[in-house]
Amino acid sequence: MPVVERPTRRTATPAAPATHRRTARLTACLAVLLTAAVGCAPQDDTGSGSAKSSAGPSAAACTKEKLVTQAPGKLTVGTDKPAYAPWFQDDDPSNGKGFESAVAYALAERLGYGRADVVWQTVPFNTAVAPGAKKFDLDINQISVGDERRRAVDFSSGYYDVRQAVIALKDSPAAKARSAADLKHVKLGAQVGTTSLDVVNDVIRPDQQPAVFQKNDYAKTALKNGQVEAIVVDLPTAFYITSAEVPDARIVGQFGSAGDKPEQFGFVLDKGSRLTQCVSGAVDSLRKDGTLAGLEKKWLSEAADVPVLK
């Protein structure tokens, strides 16, 4: 049978199967959606432990109606008990008296919360700065902002620039100290976990182990009883102790700020809190318009006559 030759035809590229075409289109669509989602996703700005973003939230976002708090419409504020003067008065944070009570209410008002919207909660000092979820929205308790603490909690901008001071009984040899070196042989005491204790260990560097107390109240008792020769506390607390609680004691001197940045007290918030930037913004505005300076003048003693220990 003769072989019939058929005309040669150009071979076209085979069309992709329908399933492949659908997959390609789906992949392209997903790529577009993913790009849009990444562009719109909120960025994590909590890595530093406090609000440092150059573009903070708008004022409209930092209002009572927009803020997500422990109790809707309320601002839960923590502090330790006893609540000491001059930071608080009569061991009652809710009365608005004392520097930190007044600052807390000023901050609440700046965020749109009335006095009745502020709920106070007892929170021990060490619990406030420990890792883990918090039962408060913010805590105010003479807590110094520090890099080590930022690993566990958020801090607001500082609301008070701090100096540490040394207190000794008037008839004690420690009362005659004029420098950190003069205190090296003195039995010292301070509250655990505080910058006061850091000053003892890092600045004074005493020859003997300092006594460490859970509360300043215990440190004061130890000073009265002669268990320690001197204690280190923040300067306003030193004024109150020597004027109202241990009249036989005197302020030996204060320490200047170390480095270019002063030690500051800040509000403590939960790590990564959505409130941190709003609280910092409110503190910054209270500083800028002179509110903090006015409250400091009203509630905290002047420090002009206290010598600086070098």
Side-chain angles (χ1 to χ4, degrees):
M1 183 174 181
V3 176
V4 178
E5 292 187 4
R6 292 179 182 158
T8 302
R9 291 184 300 180
R10 296 175 61 186
T11 304
T13 303
T19 54
H20 288 183
R21 291 199 300 273
R22 286 196 296 270
T23 301
R25 286 198 299 270
L26 180 59
T27 302
C29 290
L30 288 173
V32 171
L33 291 172
L34 180 59
T35 302
V38 170
C40 297
Q43 301 302 305
D44 182 5
D45 58 5
T46 60
S48 65
S50 62
K52 289 188 177 181
S53 173
S54 58
S58 65
C62 295
T63 60
K64 175 182 175 181
E65 293 73 23
K66 297 290 181 67
L67 295 176
V68 179
T69 54
Q70 294 283 333
K74 302 290 184 180
L75 192 65
T76 303
V77 183
T79 198
D80 207 346
K81 187 174 182 65
Y84 297 109
W87 310 104
F88 301 93
Q89 294 289 329
D90 304 320
D91 194 18
D92 181 9
S94 67
N95 63 17
K97 299 177 181 180
F99 179 71
E100 288 192 331
S101 180
V103 168
Y105 281 115
L107 174 92
E109 182 179 2
R110 195 60 52 98
L111 294 175
Y113 294 89
R115 185 165 179 142
D117 298 326
V118 177
V119 178
W120 288 92
Q121 183 181 88
T122 299
V123 180
F125 182 97
N126 290 334
T127 301
V129 295
K134 308 302 180 189
K135 295 182 179 180
F136 53 78
D137 295 312
L138 47 93
D139 184 276
I140 184 168
N141 189 24
Q142 309 109 65
I143 300 178
S144 296
V145 178
D147 291 338
E148 184 69 25
R149 288 173 177 165
R150 275 200 179 104
R151 297 177 184 177
V153 297
D154 275 8
F155 278 101
S156 72
S157 298
Y159 59 82
Y160 177 69
D161 295 350
V162 189
R163 286 199 171 193
Q164 298 296 323
V166 179
I167 302 174
L169 296 179
K170 293 175 181 177
D171 58 359
S172 166
K176 300 176 182 178
R178 294 294 178 266
S179 67
D182 294 338
L183 294 166
K184 285 186 69 67
H185 306 299
V186 171
K187 180 63 176 178
L188 297 163
Q191 183 177 343
V192 66
T194 63
T195 50
S196 300
L197 184 57
D198 291 341
V199 166
V200 173
N201 291 324
D202 301 336
V203 178
I204 301 174
R205 299 178 183 176
D207 295 337
Q208 52 186 316
Q209 190 74 17
V212 179
F213 303 95
Q214 283 295 117
K215 294 178 179 289
N216 274 333
D217 217 20
Y218 303 153
K220 289 180 292 185
T221 301
L223 181 65
K224 288 181 187 178
N225 295 340
Q227 295 169 281
V228 294
E229 298 173 77
I231 60 174
V232 178
V233 295
D234 59 79
L235 188 57
T237 298
F239 276 111
Y240 184 76
I241 289 174
T242 54
S243 64
E245 297 184 309
V246 190
D248 290 336
R250 64 181 293 268
I251 300 175
V252 178
Q254 61 178 310
F255 291 95
S257 299
D260 298 330
K261 188 176 181 181
E263 178 189 347
Q264 292 184 319
F265 289 159
F267 285 96
V268 174
L269 300 96
D270 200 359
K271 184 71 174 175
S273 172
R274 297 181 182 181
L275 302 178
T276 301
Q277 287 193 345
C278 287
V279 173
S280 283
V283 171
D284 292 343
S285 70
L286 292 171
R287 184 180 288 274
K288 185 176 181 180
D289 68 13
T291 300
L292 291 179
L295 294 176
E296 185 175 334
K297 184 176 181 180
K298 179 177 181 179
W299 295 108
L300 302 182
S301 302
E302 297 296 332
D305 296 331
V306 178
V308 176
L309 301 171
K310 297 181 179 179

